[in-house]
Amino acid sequence: MEWRIPLTDIDVGQEEIDAVAEVLRSKWLTMGAVTEEFEKQFAAKMNVGHAIAVNNGTAALHLANLALGIGPGDEVICPNITFVASANASRYCGADLAFADVISQDDLTIAPASIEAMITPRTRAITVVHYGGFVCRMDEVMGIARTHGLKVIEDCAHAPFASHSFVDGAEAFAGAMGDVGCFSFFGNKNMTTGEGGMVTTNDDDLAARIRLLRSHGMTSLTYERHKGHASGYDVVTLGYNYRTDEMHSAMGICQLRKIDQLNSKRRQIYRWYIAAFADSHNVRIPFTHRDLDRSACHILPAIVTSDYTGVKQRLKNAGIQTSKHYDPVSGFSIYTDSRRADKMFDGSSILTLPLGPQMELSDVELIREVCG
Ligand SMILES: *Cc1c(COP(=O)(O)O)cnc(C)c1O
């Protein structure tokens, strides 16, 4: 089906085509100089010590959990309203999940009070998700983590270059506040390489561990041996193959050049939604109290206050694509035994409306008209 207004769109053009073609002509396709350059530029722009490129965001989250030593017997606190990969990554390591509530329907990030209520002696880490591109309450999250000696993993799949201003005046991008930040460059994310991801950290030891785990636990890479910088290798830990390649990294460098402009277009569209829906009978826009200039405005998770099925059907009939971010993770069969906060928001009122950098004001006005 060809949607009149698709859920999202991306900005990929001649620049990416040329960059990927140049890699192909070079005939060095596996992780090498282009990936090193992508990592260097990402880390510099993020103002973070290390950026380690991987093959997808789920691998980034898995490496974060592994590098932090999460294992069987541990518990990791994760928000209930997120993509299942945020939780699965801890489960891969044998840990149990404990699901925390979001703040409210107007702020769908993890509630610090709910995190605190879920802590037990087995809790080792908190995975926060900067949902929709809006940074979690990191002053409180980091305070709780310090008090209880917990690690913090930031799932930044929605939030490349979203930022936070701490009460003490310090500023940081999402992914540079906790112990490890995890990014996704999947085909519908703010910056995309088709499949792709990045791990960020300011901790030198964690970065070294993540680099080892990314490539079989081997002490040297094919590229280093090719350049004559290394001849043999040892395998010092049980690693994985979570490497990216030069084609994806070449695209990533192009997307990195565009991300500020793409994010600012998204913020403008979010503002159009806030204005258009101010007097809607059926739909409320969340996060209106937030500073949009600090958000990556990844999605538009509208809250339907009445006639959910009717609104959804009318949008579909008008050729307007919708989705839902998300059904609660604790509701999936594999997590039925997990601990969870009482009476959590179940996401049932969320209806994700279109938001992509190519949208125009008239699109938002049409969506408003159809929603009522
Ligand atoms: C997309 C996404 C991921 C997973 O990223 P992949 O690159 O698809 O593996 C993880 N968490 C959240 C919140 C996401 O939106």
Side-chain angles (χ1 to χ4, degrees):
M1 173 165 183
E2 202 43 61
W3 295 100
R4 178 167 176 187
I5 307 177
L7 189 64
T8 189
D9 52 55
I10 55 174
D11 183 335
V12 174
Q14 199 57 46
E15 210 182 329
E16 283 81 4
I17 293 167
D18 291 344
V20 172
E22 194 183 320
V23 166
L24 294 175
R25 278 191 291 267
S26 81
K27 299 203 176 171
W28 188 273
L29 308 187
T30 58
M31 210 169 70
V34 180
T35 302
E36 281 175 7
E37 182 60 25
F38 181 34
E39 292 177 336
K40 205 175 102 195
Q41 289 186 17
F42 197 89
K45 190 168 166 60
M46 280 250 329
N47 195 22
V48 71
H50 306 271
I52 301 143
V54 293
N55 58 343
N56 60 64
T58 306
L61 286 161
H62 188 195
L63 291 176
N65 279 271
L66 284 167
L68 290 170
I70 306 298
D74 295 336
E75 221 173 46
V76 177
I77 295 172
C78 171
N80 195 29
I81 302 295
T82 184
F83 183 54
V84 67
S86 314
N88 285 352
S90 301
R91 185 56 87 75
Y92 295 159
C93 299
D96 293 318
L97 274 297
F99 294 102
D101 203 357
V102 296
I103 293 170
S104 73
Q105 294 191 61
D106 291 308
D107 189 325
L108 296 154
T109 62
I110 194 165
S114 187
I115 294 174
E116 222 155 10
M118 294 308 290
I119 293 172
T120 72
R122 289 210 288 131
T123 309
R124 282 285 312 282
I126 310 163
T127 296
V128 298
V129 179
H130 302 304
Y131 175 96
F134 293 88
V135 172
C136 297
R137 290 202 178 152
M138 291 308 282
D139 286 273
E140 285 150 274
V141 169
M142 296 312 294
I144 293 167
R146 267 191 299 274
T147 305
H148 297 271
L150 306 177
K151 301 296 182 187
V152 175
I153 298 166
E154 297 179 70
D155 182 338
C156 306
H158 294 187
F161 303 100
S163 67
H164 182 69
S165 170
F166 286 91
V167 286
D168 69 4
E171 304 235 356
F173 285 117
M177 295 179 270
D179 293 279
V180 189
C182 302
F183 294 81
S184 166
F185 308 132
F186 183 63
N188 60 12
K189 300 287 158 66
N190 287 28
M191 63 178 274
T192 182
T193 61
E195 297 278 0
M198 190 74 81
V199 189
T200 53
T201 183
N202 279 310
D203 184 316
D204 297 345
D205 294 334
L206 276 180
R209 235 185 117 55
I210 290 163
R211 285 188 187 280
L212 270 178
L213 288 163
R214 170 177 66 174
S215 191
H216 309 290
M218 285 162 59
T219 53
S220 78
L221 296 170
T222 312
Y223 181 62
E224 288 160 352
R225 292 193 298 278
H226 170 77
K227 286 197 302 185
H229 294 172
S231 48
Y233 59 81
D234 189 15
V235 175
V236 293
T237 186
L238 183 64
Y240 297 78
N241 178 357
Y242 284 165
R243 294 184 309 264
T244 186
D245 64 32
E246 300 289 83
M247 290 78 80
H248 288 87
S249 297
M251 256 194 94
I253 290 170
C254 297
Q255 292 276 300
L256 198 56
R257 264 186 238 127
K258 297 178 177 175
I259 187 66
D260 291 342
Q261 188 200 324
L262 292 175
N263 280 352
S264 83
K265 187 71 207 293
R266 287 174 173 278
R267 290 173 189 129
Q268 179 181 41
I269 296 160
Y270 207 100
R271 288 193 173 93
W272 288 339
Y273 268 106
I274 291 174
F277 281 80
D279 60 352
S280 168
H281 306 297
N282 299 318
V283 172
R284 210 166 70 222
I285 307 299
F287 295 109
T288 50
H289 61 294
R290 291 289 202 101
D291 177 358
L292 289 184
D293 287 329
R294 294 198 173 277
S295 172
C297 292
H298 174 56
I299 49 172
L300 200 301
I303 301 298
V304 182
T305 49
S306 64
D307 191 24
Y308 189 98
T309 17
V311 169
K312 189 174 156 180
Q313 190 58 48
R314 287 200 302 280
L315 288 164
K316 189 176 178 202
N317 295 346
I320 297 160
Q321 189 183 13
T322 62
S323 179
K324 182 185 215 171
H325 295 78
Y326 295 91
D327 286 319
V329 181
S330 68
F332 293 129
S333 301
I334 65 164
Y335 290 114
T336 46
D337 295 336
S338 299
R339 284 201 312 122
R340 67 203 63 201
D342 294 332
K343 294 191 252 88
M344 278 190 291
F345 172 56
D346 66 0
S348 58
S349 56
I350 299 174
L351 182 67
T352 309
L353 300 177
L355 200 172
Q358 328 279 356
M359 275 176 76
E360 291 173 7
L361 179 57
S362 56
D363 295 325
V364 175
E365 285 167 351
L366 174 67
I367 294 165
R368 165 66 181 86
E369 200 182 303
V370 174
C371 284

